[in-house]
Amino acid sequence: VAALGELDPATTAFSAGPWLQAVSDTSISVLWETNTSQPGWVEYGTTSALGSRGQAELVKISPQTNVQRARLGGLTPATAYRYRIASGSARSPVQEFRTAPSSTSARIRLGIWGDSHNLHPAKEMFAYMVDSLKVDFAVTTGDISNNGNDLLDLRATFLPLALQSIGSRVPFFAALGN
């Protein structure tokens, strides 16, 4: 058995994400969840060829849930980058993020929402904020689910609404309750 090596009982799959956090003019963090502890990374660049790679650190949440976090540095201010996440043999579609401007007098568009609970218009509102208003950063003031202490309720609302609809496209900060 030892000669065969370690057996990973499941194929790597993305459980959630990616989502963007902690953006600056020269860096950003990309996070996602996987169902195995396979190493993860982010492929990124300013063209569709990507060309750069940032290794992720893994945080085990439970036997089937692992958070991967890659901090990408040395980026150019106010620049659009294309990226995709990878873990084991799994790859996400290519998506896009933009770094913050370096000037303290630069304009940014901030989207703020709150008390969305599990209302279906939230997904349309996020699309409007990103696609029409072109926000650079988003903030939720809380109450994104009916019960922030209930992990199942939080995962059923927060993950599909905030992370998939807005978090993979613009960095955001989330307060879970008031």
Side-chain angles (χ1 to χ4, degrees), residues 14-173:
F14 302 124
S15 308
W19 63 92
L20 304 168
Q21 296 279 281
V23 67
S24 78
D25 58 342
T26 60
S27 63
I28 195 165
S29 290
V30 181
L31 296 92
W32 66 98
E33 285 185 9
T34 59
N35 64 342
T36 69
S37 57
Q38 291 290 316
W41 62 92
V42 176
E43 298 167 348
Y44 65 98
T46 56
T47 68
S48 59
L50 304 177
S52 296
R53 182 172 161 155
Q55 196 63 36
E57 64 177 306
L58 182 126
V59 177
K60 188 168 250 345
I61 304 299
S62 73
Q64 294 81 29
T65 305
N66 301 280
V67 173
Q68 306 260 0
R69 177 184 173 266
R71 183 76 178 157
L72 310 180
L75 306 177
T76 304
T79 301
Y81 284 85
R82 298 175 65 88
Y83 79 99
R84 76 174 166 202
I85 58 172
S87 295
S89 60
R91 306 285 183 277
S92 74
V94 174
Q95 300 189 62
E96 190 172 298
F97 69 81
R98 178 174 285 282
T99 52
S102 60
S103 170
T104 57
S105 62
R107 291 178 152 213
I108 62 166
R109 290 181 184 253
L110 176 65
I112 302 174
W113 84 93
D115 291 328
S116 54
H117 295 271
N118 19 354
L119 300 176
H120 292 290
K123 191 169 187 173
E124 289 78 12
M125 178 191 61
F126 297 149
Y128 178 74
M129 284 188 346
V130 174
D131 298 329
S132 298
L133 298 178
K134 307 253 185 248
V135 298
D136 299 300
F137 187 78
V139 175
T140 173
T141 60
D143 285 347
I144 196 162
S145 75
N146 287 330
N147 184 351
N149 293 320
D150 182 345
L151 184 58
L152 293 176
D153 185 47
L154 193 58
R155 289 185 74 82
T157 56
F158 185 69
L159 292 178
L161 290 178
L163 296 186
Q164 293 173 4
S165 298
I166 199 167
S168 63
R169 301 171 66 197
V170 296
F172 73 98
F173 177 80

